Amino acid sequence: MSRCVIISACPVSASLASALRPGDTIIACDAGYRNCAPLHCRPDIIVGDFDTAPCPAQEGDDTIILPHVKDDTDTEYAAKLASEKGFDEALLLGVLGGRRLEHTLANLCTGLGLEQRGVRATLLDERSRITFVMPGETRRYPKDEYFYLSVFPMEGRAEGVSERGSFYELTDAVLTAGYPLGVSNEYAEGSDCITISTQKGALVVVETVPDGPILS
């Protein structure tokens, strides 16, 4: 699969460099190009209106200057560009946290939009990994460094939701935006994989590392 990495402006640590693969196409969004240094990578494409950082002048970079007045965020433009270029997968870094919560929410919408266009999207920071389960799909979540697993209805309501291998299992459940039933689940004792499916309505899945040592 061909993959692009979209790097936005929320602070990142060098530990996320391990998520990069040889052959990734790096798309930096506006001030996100500054995150390329701690990630030890170089942008192949830079996009943005450069309202938060000066436009870099680096020979050989493919730089796309966007207007200040526009409907798309810089990250959304990069996501649409990734879709147009035919990438199968997109990893989004520097899109969670920061000082503006609305951008984190917007980036969740961008991730869903990528999935709806057929691009598998993952949003990643130092503690969490965010992915999506689309209607009619079943996804597997093998146990690794993550401990908590939360599921929310990305489109406000999801029906026919099932979770297997988790401490709190669901069968043909309905999840709504008004009640966070799917928050803070865990792997069942002896389980090494959780499977999640939905029949109607997209889900956003948040995997989070534990705050400290897990007591058995």
Side-chain angles (χ1 to χ4, degrees):
M1 295 177 66
S2 60
R3 190 178 80 159
C4 70
V5 178
I6 297 173
I7 303 177
S8 295
C10 291
V12 302
S13 70
S15 65
L16 289 177
S18 62
L20 302 181
R21 304 172 186 163
D24 282 338
T25 296
I26 308 296
I27 305 176
C29 304
D30 205 284
Y33 71 81
R34 292 172 170 169
N35 279 332
C36 289
L39 295 175
H40 308 293
C41 65
R42 186 176 185 276
D44 298 292
I45 304 171
I46 301 176
V47 303
D49 55 16
F50 302 103
D51 58 348
T52 56
C55 180
Q58 298 183 24
E59 185 178 352
D61 282 336
D62 186 358
T63 302
I64 301 173
I65 300 176
L66 303 177
H68 291 285
V69 180
K70 60 186 187 306
D71 291 330
D72 293 345
T73 65
D74 296 332
T75 303
E76 175 66 19
Y77 182 93
K80 289 180 176 177
L81 183 64
S83 178
E84 292 170 4
K85 288 184 173 293
F87 290 102
D88 302 304
E89 186 179 354
L91 173 65
L92 284 70
L93 304 177
V95 296
L96 303 174
R99 292 181 294 178
R100 296 186 61 183
L101 176 61
E102 68 269 33
H103 281 296
T104 293
L105 296 175
N107 292 332
L108 289 172
C109 296
T110 291
L112 177 62
L114 280 164
E115 291 277 347
Q116 291 171 336
R117 293 191 292 272
V119 182
R120 181 62 86 193
T122 301
L123 287 65
L124 189 69
D125 68 10
E126 290 78 5
R127 294 186 53 81
S128 300
R129 178 171 63 192
I130 296 176
T131 53
F132 301 85
V133 181
M134 302 304 287
E137 181 182 27
T138 298
R139 290 197 68 175
R140 300 176 72 256
Y141 290 86
K143 190 174 184 179
D144 49 27
E145 74 268 29
Y146 298 104
F147 181 78
Y148 299 107
L149 186 144
S150 300
V151 178
F152 303 99
M154 189 63 191
E155 297 174 298
R157 181 182 178 90
E159 301 176 7
V161 177
S162 295
E163 293 186 33
R164 294 288 181 268
S166 55
F167 186 85
Y168 302 99
E169 291 196 334
L170 293 176
T171 301
D172 199 26
V174 175
L175 299 183
T176 65
Y179 179 53
L181 177 64
V183 71
S184 294
N185 212 336
E186 303 171 10
Y187 289 82
E189 185 176 356
S191 171
D192 61 1
C193 184
I194 294 175
T195 60
I196 302 173
S197 62
T198 176
Q199 295 304 312
K200 183 178 180 181
L203 302 173
V204 58
V205 179
V206 184
E207 299 170 271
T208 308
V209 298
D211 295 326
I214 301 301
L215 300 178
S216 56

